[in-house]
Amino acid sequence: MLPPFAVMLPRTLLPSFLLLISGLPALRAEEAYTFRRPAMGTVWTIKLYAESEKVADEAAAAAFARVEEINQALSDYLPDSALSRLSASAGQGKPVTVTGDLRAVLERSLDASRKSGGAFDLTVGPCVLLWRESRKTRRLPEPAALAAALQSSGWESLTFDADAGAALLKKPGMRLDAGGIAKGYAQDEAMKVLRERCGIQSALIDCGSPLVSGRPPGRAGWNIALAKVEPDEPETVLQVENLCVDTSGDLHQAVEIDGRRYSHIIDPKTGLGLTASVQATVVAPSATDADWLATALCVMGPEQGMTFMARHYPKLQARIAQRNSDGSLVRAQTHGFAALLKPETANPEGQKAPALPAAK
Ligand code: AMP
Ligand code: MG
């Protein structure tokens, strides 16, 4: 029961006063806990601030469980995933009901394809499959096999009826590959679990590209090292809150076949790995967006990529670098990108990059 004089206290003081008189300890300082686990073909790190080890363990376990649930739905390696079952229906003329995570990723991917003019394409599956083999054997696909894979690709042959909740893969042999968006989606969903279900305010979820929520206690933001463009350039650090920093592309690690370098990202027009040497970084509140955008910007390259960002995502920041065959480097970045850098680590080269072209 409240002591009679408690009614004299201003409302804002009441909770701390009650804590004092009840002898309960004041709120404990939050500590950092780090967890690592393999998932979706890579190693995931979750770093979070919590008031006890128990709270931290339970939160990380719940977040990892959500990632695994999404993997079970979206993996093209698992023949029984919802995504693989949908792919198996290709060319049969029967729409398939899709729900939950597959539906969410399908809708986001189709929107991505529409906006990017097919630079991002969930239906590149047959080409990815062929390309995985080429990367292993270091031999280009047979022309007939490549033509068949291209014939079985194309996002316009994937339709989704939102009212019926049903998807149709119109052409035989079509195969979906969510490798360019599923990890980002899983990061967003795992962060939701930490925040909404477990009450964690400050966390980092990193599966190669980090997503952060809140800021570490007493700090201005999370420090995220930016993927370098040149191996010998000084390290650049972004200081961010509630953002994902996603980098795609392979300026430094591409496969060489017959003297040409190829990327693991497919140019949907040729069905082969990109021959341009490109790296794209996107900074966005949504990891799903950052993931697919970084992949799509690699396909577009610096000039087209910047025009695309200005037109469709004027509030997001991105940087694209492309190495030309003569060894020269073309860099471009959006207007707000430099402002994200921590002043003492800002890379002057990066800040001199060409400004964003005007939106059309
Ligand atoms: P990321 O590493 O996020 O750029 O994603 C690359 C992965 O996305 C590849 O390993 C493929 O599984 C898939 N992918 C490759 N090219 C494309 C593309 N043009 N559109 C959509 N997904 C792609
Ligand atoms: Mg990506």
Side-chain angles (χ1 to χ4, degrees):
M1 211 175 88
L2 291 179
F5 53 82
V7 291
M8 306 291 289
L9 289 168
R11 257 164 189 265
T12 49
L13 285 183
L14 205 53
S16 50
F17 175 77
L18 289 177
L19 268 181
L20 275 177
I21 60 168
S22 62
L24 288 171
L27 271 182
R28 273 206 266 158
E30 296 199 318
E31 278 183 47
Y33 297 88
T34 303
F35 304 84
R36 271 193 193 89
R37 195 175 289 185
M40 302 178 103
T42 187
V43 176
W44 287 60
T45 301
I46 295 183
K47 181 172 179 181
L48 56 85
Y49 286 83
E51 67 205 36
S52 72
E53 193 173 344
K54 183 169 178 293
V55 170
D57 283 352
E58 285 174 4
F64 281 130
R66 182 74 182 103
V67 172
E68 192 41 44
E69 183 178 44
I70 291 166
N71 185 49
Q72 294 290 324
L74 300 182
S75 170
D76 62 303
Y77 286 91
L78 301 174
D80 214 29
S81 70
L83 179 121
S84 296
R85 279 186 272 124
L86 177 57
S87 292
S89 75
Q92 292 172 6
K94 283 192 217 121
V96 173
T97 304
V98 292
T99 57
D101 295 321
L102 178 57
R103 177 180 175 146
V105 165
L106 210 59
E107 290 190 286
R108 297 286 284 270
S109 296
L110 282 172
D111 183 52
S113 291
R114 262 190 297 273
K115 285 189 176 126
S116 69
F120 183 88
D121 188 342
L122 195 68
T123 72
V124 289
C127 301
V128 171
L129 214 56
L130 211 53
W131 194 237
R132 270 186 208 151
E133 201 47 36
S134 286
R135 283 160 59 92
K136 244 186 271 163
T137 59
R138 306 220 163 200
R139 292 179 55 170
L140 290 180
E142 293 297 328
L146 179 60
L150 277 168
Q151 176 57 33
S152 300
S153 305
W155 65 276
E156 280 152 319
S157 297
L158 162 64
T159 60
F160 178 68
D161 178 341
D163 294 332
L168 177 67
L169 273 65
K170 291 186 188 162
K171 298 190 287 193
M174 286 181 80
R175 184 187 157 96
L176 305 181
D177 181 322
I181 191 169
K183 285 204 218 52
Y185 174 76
Q187 279 175 287
D188 282 333
E189 289 297 306
M191 193 62 92
K192 259 194 230 166
V193 168
L194 291 183
R195 234 184 334 219
E196 293 167 18
R197 216 190 303 158
C198 309
I200 303 293
Q201 301 301 318
S202 177
L204 170 144
I205 301 180
D206 191 351
C207 55
S209 293
L211 166 70
V212 298
S213 167
R215 50 171 100 158
R219 299 226 317 259
W222 290 87
N223 289 339
I224 304 293
L226 203 56
K228 290 183 182 182
V229 173
E230 304 269 33
D232 55 350
E233 74 184 17
E235 180 155 275
T236 321
V237 177
L238 304 186
Q239 194 164 62
V240 291
E241 292 175 62
N242 303 316
L243 283 175
C244 180
V245 183
D246 191 301
T247 298
S248 271
D250 28 30
L251 275 181
H252 311 295
Q253 36 140 337
V255 62
E256 199 170 303
I257 304 174
D258 298 339
R260 268 193 116 166
R261 58 152 321 278
Y262 294 90
S263 161
H264 73 292
I265 296 173
I266 302 286
D267 181 346
K269 290 204 181 84
T270 63
L272 300 175
L274 294 177
T275 51
S277 188
V278 191
Q279 176 182 285
T281 297
V282 176
V283 184
S286 150
T288 313
D289 284 341
D291 192 2
W292 79 258
L293 278 170
T295 307
L297 290 182
C298 287
V299 177
M300 294 180 201
E303 202 177 318
Q304 197 194 334
M306 286 294 122
T307 309
F308 168 82
M309 289 301 289
R311 181 185 295 170
H312 292 286
Y313 294 94
K315 291 191 179 139
L316 300 189
Q317 306 306 330
R319 175 173 92 170
I320 310 175
Q322 178 171 313
R323 167 109 38 222
N324 293 324
S325 47
D326 64 1
S328 63
L329 196 66
V330 179
R331 287 176 184 242
Q333 66 187 29
T334 53
H335 277 316
F337 196 88
L340 293 167
L341 308 183
K342 276 187 84 176
E344 67 269 29
T345 59
N347 170 13
E349 240 352 271
Q351 287 176 351
K352 270 191 262 158
L356 184 74
K360 285 192 183 155

